[in-house]
Amino acid sequence: MKITVFGATGGIGRHLVDQAVAAGHEVTAVARQPGRLAGVPVRVVAADLATADPATLRAAVAGADAVLSGLGPRSAVDAGIAARGTGAIVEAMRESGVRRIVVVSAAPVGVVPSPGRPHPPKRDPGDGPLMRFVLGPAIRRVLRRHYADLALMEEILRDSGLDWTVVRPPRLTDKPLTGAYRTAYGRNVRGGLTVSRADVAQLMLHSLDQPESVGRTVGVAN
């Protein structure tokens, strides 16, 4: 399969690249710092999704069977990058005739409002009391700009007409790949507080072979 990975040098993006290459896929890796992929057997495209040239993005996705995006804000300075970057990716995909995209979001986003979804559910059906009443509100308060960005990104995908899947992990860790993560469609995983970046990447890759995941959000946790 021909796969284009955006955010290819990020925490999840690098796992996506390495796992896709190991699985024998033909990978195009899009990154702000392409030098960090030196020696990796992929086609590298240098692009900053905040200011990327549309022609560069079209060239990056042209001929791909699917797009995987690990794009997301790493700090307050990056707030807004997920929505802006995903909007640019969606436009490039439409113009290039590529339909399948899997992106990473975050577990709390299901209850975060966006312009087209101003009144989301007050509680995620997968969250237990600790997450609903203690951890969730505190996390959303501290990271409200990040989650607002991701909520808008999800809205862009819902309106895109593409075959999208959104993966929503809780707190990310750098623990090794286990393959033993739990998943749930349309809700968070009950009692799931953490998941490794490597496991998230594996789920995103596996989602490409799961047509039932198209047009749906997927909760994941170890």
Side-chain angles (χ1 to χ4, degrees), residues 13-102:
R14 184 54 192 266
H15 284 293
L16 286 170
V17 169
D18 291 343
Q19 291 180 22
V21 169
H25 297 298
E26 184 179 330
V27 178
T28 294
V30 183
R32 284 188 293 186
Q33 297 176 302
R36 294 173 64 182
L37 293 166
V40 182
V42 297
R43 172 187 171 225
V44 180
V45 174
D48 183 339
L49 270 294
T51 58
D53 173 43
T56 299
L57 300 187
R58 288 194 298 271
V61 302
D65 298 302
V67 169
L68 298 173
S69 176
L71 189 65
R74 300 182 185 180
S75 66
V77 175
D78 288 332
I81 186 62
R84 288 197 308 272
T86 301
I89 292 168
V90 164
E91 188 61 27
M93 291 176 66
R94 284 173 174 159
E95 294 179 1
S96 302
V98 180
R99 294 197 53 79
R100 188 71 173 107
I101 180 170
V102 180

Side-chain angles (χ1 to χ4, degrees), residues 111-122 155 158:
V111 297
V112 175
S114 63
R117 190 170 172 256
H119 304 293
K122 293 184 180 298
E155 181 174 308
R158 288 194 298 271

